[in-house]
Amino acid sequence: MGQAPSMLTQYDIEEVQEHCNNLFSQQEIVSLYQRFCQLDRNAKGFISADEFLSVPEFAMNPLSQRLLKMVDGLNFKDFVAFLSAFSAKATIQHKIEFIFRVYDSDSNGKVSFNDILEVLRDLSGSFLSDKHREQVLNQVLAETGFTEESYLMLDDFIKVLGSSGLKIEVEVPVD
């Protein structure tokens, strides 16, 4: 599935389903494939950062630059796997693992105070001062037993966010 073929075979669909832990139905995968082909303007078999930025909702997302690091050059299987965190069927742990990867921009397996501060800066823009962001973050960390010097690992994210009722979902339109 390197080059983007003109059609998906039943085998391709099942392979993609398995790759994304069956979080999308076959019909959803076909719809995602159609969208993938629309984004892959040059039919290279992968989507570049520029092609992702052609999606207005993606480009306007305050975390788009962080997300671009995760999506640049994805082939179709990996595109579906990336989107699987947004599936209604995805577990809370799967969603938290995705969020952790967004915060862990250097992919070192841990999230620092500064990593979280950067995300808060991206999300709040000029609405909050750096000092106010730091105060809020210090308070939140203190309430969860962490300090400014702490590094949060994936297990910490799961512990903190696991009971939060987190809901991140996107609906895949099925034609």
Side-chain angles (χ1 to χ4, degrees), residues 103 111-121 128-150 152 157 160:
Y103 279 79
V111 174
S112 70
F113 181 85
N114 285 334
D115 291 332
I116 300 171
L117 206 53
E118 285 177 28
V119 172
L120 288 175
R121 190 174 297 119
L128 293 175
S129 69
D130 283 340
K131 182 179 179 179
H132 192 228
R133 271 189 286 270
E134 287 180 30
Q135 289 172 336
V136 169
L137 182 52
N138 275 316
Q139 182 177 346
V140 170
L141 288 174
E143 289 174 9
T144 56
F146 296 99
T147 68
E148 194 172 315
E149 290 77 32
S150 299
L152 293 134
F157 259 65
V160 171

Side-chain angles (χ1 to χ4, degrees), residues 64-76:
S64 63
Q65 292 307 307
R66 287 176 167 275
L67 293 170
L68 278 178
K69 292 177 187 175
M70 298 168 69
V71 299
D72 189 24
L74 291 183
N75 64 26
F76 178 63

Side-chain angles (χ1 to χ4, degrees), residues 23-24 80-88 90-91 94-95 98 168-169:
L23 293 173
F24 293 113
V80 174
F82 172 80
L83 292 176
S84 68
F86 299 95
S87 167
T91 65
H94 188 77
K95 293 173 187 292
F98 176 83
I168 56 171
E169 295 176 7

Side-chain angles (χ1 to χ4, degrees), residues 92 161-168:
I92 190 76
L161 296 176
S163 61
S164 68
L166 179 68
K167 186 174 180 176
I168 56 171

Side-chain angles (χ1 to χ4, degrees), residues 4-5 30-44 46-47 50-52 54-55 76 79 173 175:
V30 169
S31 293
L32 288 170
Y33 183 71
Q34 291 168 348
R35 184 63 175 140
F36 179 86
C37 290
Q38 290 170 347
L39 291 171
D40 182 16
R41 289 182 240 131
N42 298 326
K44 302 172 302 302
F46 64 89
I47 303 175
D50 288 340
E51 289 166 329
F52 270 104
S54 72
V55 178
F76 178 63
F79 172 74
D175 299 330

